[in-house]
Amino acid sequence: MEISSPALVEGPQPLPAQPGRPPGTASRDQPYHVLTTGCPPYPGVARHARWGLPVYRGRRLPPALADFAAPRHSWELLVQDILNGVPPASARERKQPELRDYQRPRVEKMRAAFSVGAPGFLLADPTGSGKTPMAITTVSALPVQLVLVVTKLSVVPAWRAAIDYFGTGPQRWVVINPEQMWRLFEHPWHPLASLPVDEAAAIAAQSGRCRVDFGVVITDESHILADPMSIRSRLHARIMDPPEGERPWWLRLSATPFTAPHETQYVADLIAHVTGAEEPGDVDRGAYLDWLRECGFELNTDTGGRWHHDDNAHDVERVKELLYDSAVGASSSPQELGLPDQARELRPVELSADDRRKYAQAWHEFRQTVGLATTDADALHGDGRQAALRRVQRASFLKTAQVAAVVADLVADGYQVCVPTWFLETVRALVEHISWELKSRELPHKVMGITGEDVGLRERKRQNFQLGRSKVVVFNALEGINLHAGERNVDGKGADATSTPRATVVADVLTGGKRTLQAEGRASRDGQHALAVYLYVPGTTEEAWLARMLRSAANTQALARTSADARALTELADQLDAHAGTTPQVPV
C-alpha cells in the first residue's frame, strides 16, 4: 500500500566498493531499516524519495515492524545496505559444499565461459539435476560483486536458502521474482513507486534505468523470456544493456528452454558469439527468423506454418552445435546424467452419454471461438484466448468424478498424487471430488489445494503434502513448486519429505510443450521422476488436442534433450492419433 508520510532523504548512493560510509548516508545511531512494500502505516515509516521503498529510521526496528524487515538476499536489504554505507562482504571462510560427480564439470564449463569472455551461458540440464547449486557454486568463484537472481515468487525462499548453503564467495545477492523487477528501475520523469504496478512496469521496460550495476544476472526458468516483447523480457534487456558500465554476465537456467527455434531470441547473444554474427538486436519474429537462416538454420514448416523437430533434424543439430556442444551452454539427457527416465501413461476415461454430449458441445464451442483452422491454443491471445479456454474448462468439469477415481486408485496403490490444473475453479472442484472419493473408500482424504490466491498458506500446504499429512495436492502453479519425494529439510526444522513415490495426474487441458513438461517436473527432483498419467476422453477433440500438446512437448525435448526423449512423447501422440482416426466424434 502507498505510504503518504513525507519522504526521508533524497540522494542516490552508489554501492560502495571500499569499506567506509559515503557522505550523506545514515549515522550509526539512526540507521535506515528498509521494509517490504506490504508494510502498513506506522509512526516514523515513510517512503524514500529516491528508492521508492518504505523505510524506518532508528537504532532498532520496532517489534510491530519485525515481519516487514528486509529479507536476506532481497532488493530491500541491498538498498538498506547502500543507505547505511555497509561495505561489501568478504569471502566466507568455509569449505565449498560437495557437488555430484556430473555437476563439477558443468561448474568448470560455466566458469570457463566467463573467463574467455562469452556473454553468458545456457544451462539446460533436465529437471532434478541441480541447476540451482551449480549456478550458485559457479558464481561464488567469479570476480563480481553484485548478483541478480530472477525466479518465480514461490521459489524465492528456496533460492535464498540455497545461496546461504552453496554461496561461499563475497558477492551480494538479490533474489527477486519477474513481477517485481520494475522496482530495480528508476525514471527521470516518472516516480515509478507512485504508479500502478502495471503502468510502472511498462514505463520501466520502455525507458527505465536500472538503479545499480549487476555483475551477473541469473534467470531461473529462462523460457519465460521466449516472447521478446513481454515486459519481463524487455526489463531483462535493459538490465543486460546498461547505458554506462560493463554488460553483466548472463546465466540462463531452464530444463525446457525452447519449443521451436524462433524462441531462441533470448539466447541470440550466445548464438552470435559462437557464429561470429552480429547480434540481431530488438527485431520482430520475421526478421529474427531471417537472422537464424543466416546462422545456418533451415526452419522448414508444414502447411500451417508450424515447425516440427521431425522435419528439421538439421535445425535440432544446429541448436546442439551452437548452444550445447560449444562453450556457451550445456544440456544432457537424464540417462547421460545417470537419472531415471520419465514414465508416462495414457488413461482414457469414459463419460455417461449425457455428459459426453455436454463435453463435446463445450469443445465444439471452443473450436468455433478459435476458428476451425486453429490447432494450438498458444496461438490465441488476450481475452479471446481466455474465453476459449473457459469453454474447455466447462468440459474438464464434467470429468472431475473420473479424475477423482483415478487419483484414489493411485493413492490406494501407495502413491502420493499431484494434480496440476489450469483454472482456479478447477482446483476447487477437484479438491471437493477427490476428497469425497477418498473418504468413500476409507482412504486418507485430506486434499491440499494450492493456488495463487493463498500465498500466505501455500508453503504450509506444500509442507503438509511433503510430510505426508496429505496424500493429494491439486495446484494451478505449473512452475516454481517442488513436490518431490525425499526433499531435505522441508519445514526448516530438519524434517525431510516422505519417500513415498509420487504420481502426477494431468487431467486438465494444458497447452504448449514447455508448460506440459513443467507440470510433469513438479514432483521430479533429486534423481527421481514421478509417474505422469494423462487422462482424456477418447473420441473427442480433447484426444487430438492432447496429441498436439505431446508433439509440442516432443519439440521441446528434441531441442534440449535427445531424439530418444522426443520420440517417447511422439509415440504417445501417435497412439492418440491412431485411435482418434478409428473413433468417430460425438455429434453435437
Side-chain angles (χ1 to χ4, degrees), residues 488-572:
R488 304 297 297 273
N489 193 26
V490 171
D491 60 355
K493 301 176 182 178
D496 296 339
T498 68
S499 58
T500 306
R502 270 51 166 171
T504 300
V505 174
V506 182
D508 208 354
V509 176
L510 305 176
T511 61
K514 294 188 293 294
R515 184 177 289 111
T516 304
L517 295 170
Q518 287 292 331
E520 280 187 357
R522 294 312 91 213
S524 301
R525 286 289 191 281
D526 292 337
Q528 301 183 49
H529 282 296
L531 168 68
V533 180
Y534 286 88
L535 302 187
Y536 66 99
V537 180
T540 67
T541 302
E542 183 189 28
E543 186 173 41
W545 195 271
L546 176 59
R548 285 192 290 270
M549 181 182 73
L550 292 171
R551 292 190 191 282
S552 180
N555 281 347
T556 304
Q557 291 291 70
L559 291 173
R561 303 279 91 82
T562 67
S563 57
D565 295 299
R567 193 180 308 117
L569 288 158
T570 301
E571 288 173 354
L572 291 178

Coordinates of all heavy atoms in Angstrom, one line a residue, residues 488-572:
R488 N 14.9 -32.5 1.3 CA 15.6 -32.3 2.6 C 15.1 -31.1 3.3 O 14.8 -30.0 2.7 CB 17.1 -32.2 2.4 CG 17.7 -33.4 1.6 CD 17.6 -34.7 2.4 NE 18.3 -34.6 3.7 CZ 19.5 -34.9 3.8 NH1 20.3 -35.3 2.8 NH2 20.1 -34.9 5.0
N489 N 14.9 -31.2 4.6 CA 14.6 -30.0 5.5 C 13.4 -29.3 5.0 O 13.4 -28.0 4.8 CB 15.8 -29.1 5.6 CG 15.7 -28.1 6.7 OD1 15.0 -28.4 7.7 ND2 16.4 -27.0 6.6
V490 N 12.3 -30.0 4.8 CA 11.1 -29.4 4.2 C 10.6 -28.2 5.1 O 10.2 -27.1 4.6 CB 10.0 -30.4 4.0 CG1 8.7 -29.8 3.7 CG2 10.4 -31.4 3.0
D491 N 10.5 -28.4 6.4 CA 9.9 -27.5 7.3 C 10.9 -26.5 7.9 O 10.5 -25.7 8.7 CB 9.2 -28.2 8.4 CG 10.1 -29.1 9.2 OD1 11.3 -29.2 8.9 OD2 9.6 -29.6 10.2
G492 N 12.2 -26.6 7.5 CA 13.2 -25.7 8.1 C 13.6 -26.1 9.5 O 14.4 -25.5 10.1
K493 N 13.1 -27.3 9.9 CA 13.4 -27.8 11.3 C 14.0 -29.2 11.2 O 14.1 -29.9 12.2 CB 12.2 -27.8 12.1 CG 11.5 -26.4 12.3 CD 10.2 -26.5 13.1 CE 9.5 -25.2 13.1 NZ 8.2 -25.3 13.9
G494 N 14.5 -29.5 10.0 CA 15.2 -30.8 9.9 C 14.4 -32.0 9.4 O 14.9 -33.1 9.2
A495 N 13.0 -31.8 9.2 CA 12.2 -32.9 8.7 C 12.3 -33.0 7.2 O 12.2 -32.0 6.5 CB 10.7 -32.6 9.1
D496 N 12.5 -34.2 6.7 CA 12.5 -34.5 5.3 C 11.2 -34.9 4.7 O 10.3 -35.4 5.5 CB 13.6 -35.5 5.0 CG 15.0 -35.1 5.4 OD1 15.2 -33.9 5.5 OD2 15.8 -36.0 5.5
A497 N 11.0 -34.7 3.4 CA 9.7 -35.2 2.8 C 9.7 -36.7 2.8 O 10.7 -37.4 2.9 CB 9.7 -34.6 1.4
T498 N 8.5 -37.2 2.7 CA 8.3 -38.7 2.6 C 9.0 -39.2 1.4 O 9.2 -38.5 0.4 CB 6.8 -39.0 2.6 OG1 6.3 -38.6 1.3 CG2 6.1 -38.4 3.7
S499 N 9.4 -40.5 1.5 CA 10.0 -41.2 0.4 C 8.9 -41.9 -0.5 O 9.3 -42.6 -1.4 CB 11.0 -42.2 0.8 OG 10.5 -43.1 1.7
T500 N 7.7 -41.7 -0.2 CA 6.6 -42.3 -0.9 C 6.6 -41.9 -2.4 O 6.8 -40.7 -2.7 CB 5.2 -41.8 -0.3 OG1 5.2 -42.1 1.1 CG2 4.1 -42.5 -1.0
P501 N 6.6 -42.8 -3.3 CA 6.6 -42.4 -4.7 C 5.5 -41.5 -5.1 O 4.4 -41.6 -4.6 CB 6.5 -43.8 -5.5 CG 5.9 -44.7 -4.5 CD 6.4 -44.3 -3.1
R502 N 5.8 -40.6 -6.0 CA 4.8 -39.6 -6.5 C 4.3 -40.0 -7.8 O 5.0 -40.6 -8.6 CB 5.4 -38.2 -6.6 CG 5.4 -37.3 -5.4 CD 5.9 -37.9 -4.1 NE 6.1 -36.8 -3.1 CZ 6.4 -37.0 -1.9 NH1 6.5 -38.3 -1.4 NH2 6.6 -36.0 -1.0
A503 N 3.0 -39.6 -8.1 CA 2.4 -39.7 -9.4 C 1.8 -38.4 -9.7 O 1.2 -37.7 -8.9 CB 1.4 -40.8 -9.5
T504 N 1.9 -37.9 -11.0 CA 1.3 -36.7 -11.5 C 0.2 -37.0 -12.4 O 0.4 -37.7 -13.4 CB 2.4 -35.8 -12.2 OG1 3.4 -35.5 -11.2 CG2 1.8 -34.5 -12.7
V505 N -1.0 -36.6 -12.1 CA -2.2 -36.8 -13.0 C -2.5 -35.5 -13.7 O -2.9 -34.5 -13.1 CB -3.4 -37.3 -12.1 CG1 -4.6 -37.4 -13.0 CG2 -3.1 -38.6 -11.5
V506 N -2.3 -35.5 -15.0 CA -2.6 -34.4 -15.9 C -3.9 -34.6 -16.4 O -4.1 -35.3 -17.4 CB -1.5 -34.2 -16.9 CG1 -1.8 -32.9 -17.8 CG2 -0.1 -34.1 -16.3
A507 N -4.9 -33.9 -15.9 CA -6.3 -34.1 -16.3 C -6.9 -32.9 -16.9 O -7.9 -33.0 -17.6 CB -7.1 -34.6 -15.1
D508 N -6.4 -31.7 -16.6 CA -7.0 -30.5 -17.2 C -6.3 -30.3 -18.5 O -5.2 -30.8 -18.8 CB -6.7 -29.3 -16.3 CG -7.8 -28.3 -16.4 OD1 -8.6 -28.4 -17.3 OD2 -7.7 -27.3 -15.6
V509 N -6.9 -29.5 -19.4 CA -6.3 -29.2 -20.7 C -5.1 -28.2 -20.5 O -5.3 -27.1 -20.0 CB -7.3 -28.6 -21.6 CG1 -6.7 -28.2 -22.9 CG2 -8.4 -29.6 -21.9
L510 N -4.0 -28.6 -20.9 CA -2.8 -27.7 -20.9 C -2.4 -27.4 -22.3 O -2.7 -28.2 -23.2 CB -1.6 -28.3 -20.1 CG -1.9 -28.8 -18.7 CD1 -0.7 -29.5 -18.1 CD2 -2.3 -27.6 -17.8
T511 N -1.6 -26.4 -22.5 CA -1.2 -26.1 -23.9 C 0.3 -25.8 -23.9 O 0.8 -25.3 -22.9 CB -1.9 -24.9 -24.5 OG1 -1.6 -23.7 -23.7 CG2 -3.4 -25.1 -24.5
G512 N 1.0 -26.1 -25.0 CA 2.4 -25.8 -25.1 C 3.3 -26.9 -24.5 O 3.0 -27.5 -23.4
G513 N 4.4 -27.2 -25.2 CA 5.3 -28.2 -24.8 C 6.0 -27.9 -23.5 O 6.1 -28.7 -22.6
K514 N 6.4 -26.6 -23.3 CA 7.1 -26.3 -22.1 C 6.2 -26.4 -20.9 O 6.6 -26.9 -19.8 CB 7.7 -24.8 -22.2 CG 8.8 -24.7 -23.3 CD 9.4 -23.4 -23.3 CE 8.5 -22.2 -23.7 NZ 8.1 -22.3 -25.1
R515 N 5.0 -25.9 -21.0 CA 4.1 -26.0 -19.9 C 3.8 -27.4 -19.5 O 3.7 -27.7 -18.3 CB 2.8 -25.2 -20.3 CG 1.8 -25.2 -19.1 CD 0.5 -24.4 -19.5 NE 0.8 -23.0 -19.7 CZ 0.8 -22.3 -20.8 NH1 0.6 -23.0 -21.9 NH2 1.1 -21.0 -20.9
T516 N 3.6 -28.3 -20.4 CA 3.4 -29.7 -20.1 C 4.6 -30.3 -19.4 O 4.4 -31.0 -18.4 CB 3.2 -30.4 -21.5 OG1 2.1 -29.8 -22.2 CG2 2.9 -31.9 -21.2
L517 N 5.8 -30.1 -19.9 CA 6.9 -30.7 -19.2 C 7.2 -30.0 -17.8 O 7.6 -30.7 -16.9 CB 8.1 -30.5 -20.1 CG 8.1 -31.3 -21.4 CD1 9.2 -30.9 -22.4 CD2 8.1 -32.8 -21.2
Q518 N 6.9 -28.8 -17.7 CA 7.0 -28.1 -16.4 C 6.0 -28.7 -15.4 O 6.3 -28.9 -14.2 CB 6.8 -26.6 -16.5 CG 7.9 -25.9 -17.1 CD 9.2 -25.9 -16.3 OE1 9.1 -25.9 -15.1 NE2 10.3 -25.8 -16.9
A519 N 4.8 -29.0 -15.9 CA 3.8 -29.7 -15.0 C 4.3 -31.0 -14.5 O 4.2 -31.4 -13.4 CB 2.5 -29.8 -15.7
E520 N 4.8 -31.8 -15.5 CA 5.4 -33.1 -15.1 C 6.5 -33.0 -14.1 O 6.7 -33.8 -13.2 CB 6.0 -33.8 -16.4 CG 5.1 -34.5 -17.3 CD 5.8 -35.2 -18.4 OE1 7.1 -35.1 -18.4 OE2 5.2 -35.9 -19.2
G521 N 7.3 -31.9 -14.2 CA 8.5 -31.8 -13.4 C 8.3 -31.3 -12.0 O 9.2 -31.3 -11.2
R522 N 7.1 -31.0 -11.6 CA 6.9 -30.5 -10.2 C 7.2 -31.6 -9.1 O 7.6 -31.2 -8.0 CB 5.4 -30.1 -10.0 CG 5.0 -28.8 -10.8 CD 6.0 -27.7 -10.7 NE 7.0 -27.8 -11.8 CZ 8.2 -27.3 -11.6 NH1 8.7 -26.9 -10.5 NH2 9.1 -27.4 -12.7
A523 N 7.0 -32.8 -9.5 CA 7.3 -33.9 -8.5 C 8.6 -34.7 -8.9 O 8.8 -35.7 -8.3 CB 6.1 -34.8 -8.4
S524 N 9.3 -34.1 -9.8 CA 10.6 -34.8 -10.3 C 11.8 -34.0 -9.8 O 12.0 -32.9 -10.3 CB 10.6 -35.0 -11.8 OG 9.4 -35.7 -12.2
R525 N 12.5 -34.5 -8.9 CA 13.7 -33.9 -8.4 C 14.7 -34.9 -7.8 O 14.3 -36.0 -7.6 CB 13.4 -32.9 -7.3 CG 12.7 -31.6 -7.7 CD 13.6 -30.6 -8.5 NE 13.0 -29.3 -8.7 CZ 12.1 -29.0 -9.6 NH1 11.7 -30.0 -10.3 NH2 11.7 -27.8 -9.7
D526 N 15.9 -34.4 -7.7 CA 17.0 -35.2 -7.0 C 17.1 -36.6 -7.5 O 17.1 -37.6 -6.8 CB 16.7 -35.3 -5.5 CG 16.9 -33.9 -4.8 OD1 17.6 -33.1 -5.4 OD2 16.3 -33.7 -3.8
G527 N 17.1 -36.7 -8.8 CA 17.3 -38.0 -9.4 C 16.0 -38.9 -9.5 O 16.1 -40.1 -9.8
Q528 N 14.9 -38.4 -9.1 CA 13.7 -39.2 -9.1 C 12.7 -38.5 -10.1 O 12.6 -37.3 -10.2 CB 13.0 -39.2 -7.7 CG 13.9 -39.8 -6.7 CD 13.2 -39.8 -5.3 OE1 12.1 -40.3 -5.2 NE2 13.8 -39.3 -4.3
H529 N 11.9 -39.4 -10.8 CA 10.9 -38.9 -11.7 C 9.5 -39.5 -11.2 O 9.4 -40.7 -10.9 CB 11.1 -39.4 -13.1 CG 12.1 -38.5 -13.8 ND1 12.0 -37.2 -14.1 CD2 13.4 -38.9 -14.3 CE1 13.0 -36.7 -14.7 NE2 13.9 -37.7 -14.8
A530 N 8.5 -38.7 -11.1 CA 7.2 -39.1 -10.8 C 6.5 -39.7 -12.0 O 6.7 -39.1 -13.1 CB 6.4 -38.0 -10.2
L531 N 5.7 -40.7 -11.8 CA 4.9 -41.3 -12.9 C 4.0 -40.2 -13.4 O 3.3 -39.5 -12.6 CB 4.1 -42.5 -12.4 CG 3.0 -43.0 -13.3 CD1 3.6 -43.6 -14.6 CD2 2.1 -44.0 -12.5
A532 N 3.9 -39.9 -14.7 CA 2.9 -39.0 -15.3 C 1.8 -39.7 -16.0 O 2.0 -40.5 -16.9 CB 3.7 -38.0 -16.2
V533 N 0.6 -39.4 -15.5 CA -0.6 -40.0 -16.1 C -1.4 -39.0 -16.8 O -1.8 -38.0 -16.1 CB -1.4 -40.7 -15.0 CG1 -2.7 -41.4 -15.6 CG2 -0.6 -41.8 -14.2
Y534 N -1.7 -39.2 -18.1 CA -2.5 -38.2 -18.8 C -3.9 -38.8 -19.0 O -4.1 -39.9 -19.6 CB -1.8 -38.0 -20.2 CG -0.6 -37.1 -20.1 CD1 0.6 -37.6 -19.9 CD2 -0.7 -35.7 -20.2 CE1 1.8 -36.8 -19.8 CE2 0.4 -34.9 -20.1 CZ 1.6 -35.5 -19.9 OH 2.7 -34.7 -19.8
L535 N -4.9 -38.1 -18.5 CA -6.3 -38.5 -18.7 C -7.0 -37.7 -19.8 O -6.7 -36.5 -19.9 CB -7.1 -38.3 -17.4 CG -6.5 -38.9 -16.1 CD1 -7.5 -38.7 -14.9 CD2 -6.3 -40.4 -16.3
Y536 N -7.8 -38.4 -20.5 CA -8.5 -37.7 -21.6 C -9.8 -38.5 -21.9 O -9.9 -39.7 -21.6 CB -7.6 -37.6 -22.9 CG -7.3 -39.0 -23.5 CD1 -8.0 -39.5 -24.6 CD2 -6.3 -39.8 -22.9 CE1 -7.8 -40.7 -25.1 CE2 -6.1 -41.1 -23.5 CZ -6.8 -41.5 -24.6 OH -6.5 -42.8 -25.1
V537 N -10.7 -37.9 -22.6 CA -11.9 -38.6 -23.1 C -11.7 -39.0 -24.5 O -11.6 -38.1 -25.4 CB -13.2 -37.6 -22.9 CG1 -14.4 -38.3 -23.4 CG2 -13.3 -37.2 -21.5
P538 N -11.7 -40.3 -24.8 CA -11.5 -40.7 -26.2 C -12.6 -40.3 -27.1 O -13.8 -40.2 -26.7 CB -11.3 -42.2 -26.1 CG -12.1 -42.6 -24.8 CD -11.9 -41.4 -23.9
G539 N -12.3 -40.2 -28.4 CA -13.3 -39.9 -29.4 C -13.8 -38.5 -29.3 O -14.9 -38.2 -29.9
T540 N -13.0 -37.6 -28.7 CA -13.4 -36.2 -28.7 C -12.3 -35.3 -29.2 O -11.2 -35.8 -29.4 CB -13.7 -35.7 -27.2 OG1 -12.5 -35.8 -26.4 CG2 -14.8 -36.6 -26.6
T541 N -12.5 -34.0 -29.3 CA -11.5 -33.1 -29.8 C -10.3 -33.1 -28.8 O -9.2 -32.9 -29.2 CB -12.0 -31.7 -29.9 OG1 -13.1 -31.7 -30.8 CG2 -11.0 -30.7 -30.4
E542 N -10.6 -33.4 -27.5 CA -9.6 -33.4 -26.5 C -8.5 -34.4 -26.8 O -7.3 -34.2 -26.6 CB -10.1 -33.7 -25.1 CG -9.1 -33.6 -24.0 CD -9.6 -34.1 -22.7 OE1 -10.5 -35.0 -22.7 OE2 -9.0 -33.7 -21.6
E543 N -8.9 -35.5 -27.4 CA -7.9 -36.6 -27.7 C -6.9 -36.0 -28.7 O -5.7 -36.2 -28.6 CB -8.6 -37.8 -28.3 CG -7.7 -39.0 -28.5 CD -8.5 -40.2 -28.9 OE1 -9.5 -40.0 -29.7 OE2 -8.2 -41.3 -28.4
A544 N -7.4 -35.4 -29.7 CA -6.5 -34.8 -30.7 C -5.7 -33.6 -30.2 O -4.5 -33.4 -30.5 CB -7.3 -34.3 -32.0
W545 N -6.3 -32.9 -29.3 CA -5.6 -31.8 -28.6 C -4.5 -32.2 -27.8 O -3.4 -31.7 -27.8 CB -6.6 -31.0 -27.8 CG -6.2 -29.6 -27.3 CD1 -5.5 -29.3 -26.2 CD2 -6.3 -28.4 -28.0 NE1 -5.2 -28.0 -26.1 CE2 -5.8 -27.4 -27.3 CE3 -7.0 -28.1 -29.2 CZ2 -5.8 -26.1 -27.7 CZ3 -7.0 -26.8 -29.6 CH2 -6.4 -25.8 -28.8
L546 N -4.7 -33.3 -27.0 CA -3.6 -33.9 -26.2 C -2.5 -34.4 -27.1 O -1.3 -34.2 -26.8 CB -4.2 -35.1 -25.4 CG -3.2 -35.8 -24.5 CD1 -2.4 -34.9 -23.6 CD2 -3.9 -37.0 -23.8
A547 N -2.8 -35.0 -28.2 CA -1.8 -35.4 -29.2 C -0.9 -34.2 -29.6 O 0.3 -34.3 -29.7 CB -2.4 -36.1 -30.4
R548 N -1.5 -33.1 -30.0 CA -0.8 -31.9 -30.4 C 0.1 -31.4 -29.2 O 1.2 -31.0 -29.5 CB -1.7 -30.8 -30.9 CG -2.3 -31.1 -32.2 CD -3.0 -29.9 -32.8 NE -4.3 -29.6 -32.1 CZ -5.5 -30.1 -32.4 NH1 -5.6 -30.9 -33.4 NH2 -6.5 -29.7 -31.7
M549 N -0.5 -31.4 -28.0 CA 0.3 -31.0 -26.9 C 1.5 -31.8 -26.7 O 2.6 -31.3 -26.4 CB -0.6 -31.0 -25.6 CG 0.1 -30.6 -24.4 SD -1.0 -30.7 -22.9 CE -1.0 -32.5 -22.7
L550 N 1.4 -33.1 -26.8 CA 2.5 -34.0 -26.7 C 3.6 -33.8 -27.8 O 4.8 -33.9 -27.6 CB 2.1 -35.5 -26.6 CG 1.2 -35.9 -25.4 CD1 0.6 -37.3 -25.5 CD2 2.1 -35.8 -24.1
R551 N 3.1 -33.5 -29.0 CA 4.1 -33.3 -30.1 C 4.8 -32.0 -29.8 O 6.0 -31.9 -30.1 CB 3.3 -33.2 -31.4 CG 2.7 -34.5 -31.9 CD 2.2 -34.5 -33.3 NE 1.5 -35.7 -33.6 CZ 2.0 -36.9 -33.8 NH1 3.3 -37.0 -33.8 NH2 1.2 -37.9 -34.1
S552 N 4.1 -31.0 -29.3 CA 4.8 -29.8 -28.9 C 5.9 -30.0 -27.8 O 7.0 -29.5 -27.9 CB 3.8 -28.7 -28.4 OG 4.4 -27.5 -28.0
A553 N 5.5 -30.9 -26.9 CA 6.5 -31.3 -25.8 C 7.7 -32.0 -26.4 O 8.8 -31.9 -26.0 CB 5.8 -32.1 -24.7
A554 N 7.4 -32.8 -27.5 CA 8.5 -33.5 -28.2 C 9.4 -32.6 -28.8 O 10.7 -32.8 -28.8 CB 7.9 -34.5 -29.2
N555 N 8.9 -31.5 -29.4 CA 9.8 -30.4 -30.0 C 10.7 -29.9 -28.9 O 11.9 -29.7 -29.1 CB 8.9 -29.3 -30.5 CG 8.4 -29.6 -31.9 OD1 8.7 -30.6 -32.5 ND2 7.4 -28.8 -32.3
T556 N 10.1 -29.6 -27.7 CA 10.9 -29.1 -26.6 C 12.0 -30.0 -26.2 O 13.2 -29.6 -26.0 CB 10.0 -28.8 -25.4 OG1 8.9 -27.9 -25.8 CG2 10.8 -28.1 -24.3
Q557 N 11.7 -31.3 -26.1 CA 12.7 -32.3 -25.7 C 13.7 -32.4 -26.8 O 14.9 -32.6 -26.5 CB 12.0 -33.7 -25.5 CG 11.1 -33.7 -24.2 CD 11.9 -33.6 -23.0 OE1 12.5 -32.6 -22.6 NE2 12.0 -34.7 -22.2
A558 N 13.3 -32.4 -28.1 CA 14.3 -32.5 -29.1 C 15.3 -31.4 -29.1 O 16.5 -31.6 -29.4 CB 13.6 -32.5 -30.5
L559 N 14.9 -30.2 -28.7 CA 15.8 -29.0 -28.7 C 16.6 -28.9 -27.4 O 17.4 -28.0 -27.2 CB 15.0 -27.7 -28.9 CG 14.4 -27.6 -30.3 CD1 13.5 -26.4 -30.4 CD2 15.6 -27.5 -31.4
A560 N 16.4 -29.8 -26.4 CA 17.1 -29.7 -25.2 C 17.7 -31.1 -24.7 O 18.7 -31.1 -24.0 CB 16.2 -29.2 -24.1
R561 N 17.0 -32.1 -25.1 CA 17.5 -33.5 -24.7 C 18.0 -34.3 -25.8 O 18.9 -33.8 -26.5 CB 16.3 -34.2 -24.0 CG 15.6 -33.5 -22.9 CD 16.3 -33.7 -21.6 NE 17.2 -32.7 -21.3 CZ 16.9 -31.5 -20.9 NH1 15.7 -31.2 -20.5 NH2 17.8 -30.6 -20.7
T562 N 17.4 -35.5 -26.1 CA 17.9 -36.3 -27.1 C 16.7 -36.7 -28.0 O 15.5 -36.5 -27.6 CB 18.5 -37.6 -26.6 OG1 17.5 -38.4 -25.9 CG2 19.7 -37.3 -25.6
S563 N 17.0 -37.3 -29.1 CA 15.9 -37.8 -30.0 C 15.1 -38.9 -29.3 O 13.9 -39.0 -29.6 CB 16.5 -38.3 -31.3 OG 17.5 -39.3 -31.1
A564 N 15.7 -39.6 -28.5 CA 15.0 -40.7 -27.7 C 14.0 -40.1 -26.8 O 12.8 -40.6 -26.7 CB 16.0 -41.6 -27.0
D565 N 14.3 -39.0 -26.1 CA 13.4 -38.4 -25.2 C 12.2 -37.8 -26.0 O 11.1 -37.8 -25.6 CB 14.1 -37.2 -24.4 CG 15.1 -37.8 -23.5 OD1 14.8 -38.5 -22.6 OD2 16.3 -37.4 -23.6
A566 N 12.5 -37.2 -27.2 CA 11.5 -36.7 -28.0 C 10.6 -37.8 -28.6 O 9.4 -37.7 -28.7 CB 12.1 -35.8 -29.2
R567 N 11.2 -38.9 -29.0 CA 10.5 -40.0 -29.6 C 9.5 -40.6 -28.6 O 8.4 -41.0 -29.0 CB 11.5 -41.1 -30.0 CG 10.8 -42.1 -30.9 CD 11.8 -43.2 -31.4 NE 13.0 -42.6 -31.9 CZ 14.3 -42.7 -31.4 NH1 14.4 -43.4 -30.3 NH2 15.3 -42.1 -31.9
A568 N 9.8 -40.6 -27.3 CA 8.9 -41.2 -26.3 C 7.6 -40.4 -26.3 O 6.5 -41.0 -26.2 CB 9.5 -41.2 -24.9
L569 N 7.6 -39.1 -26.4 CA 6.4 -38.3 -26.5 C 5.7 -38.4 -27.8 O 4.5 -38.5 -27.9 CB 6.8 -36.8 -26.2 CG 7.2 -36.5 -24.8 CD1 8.0 -35.3 -24.7 CD2 6.0 -36.4 -23.9
T570 N 6.5 -38.5 -28.9 CA 5.9 -38.6 -30.2 C 5.1 -39.9 -30.3 O 4.0 -40.0 -31.0 CB 7.0 -38.5 -31.3 OG1 7.6 -37.3 -31.2 CG2 6.3 -38.6 -32.7
E571 N 5.6 -41.0 -29.8 CA 5.0 -42.3 -29.8 C 3.6 -42.2 -29.1 O 2.6 -42.8 -29.5 CB 5.9 -43.4 -29.2 CG 7.0 -43.7 -30.1 CD 8.0 -44.6 -29.5 OE1 7.9 -44.9 -28.3 OE2 9.0 -45.1 -30.2
L572 N 3.6 -41.5 -28.0 CA 2.3 -41.4 -27.3 C 1.3 -40.6 -28.2 O 0.1 -40.9 -28.2 CB 2.5 -40.7 -26.0 CG 3.2 -41.4 -24.9 CD1 3.3 -40.5 -23.6 CD2 2.5 -42.7 -24.5

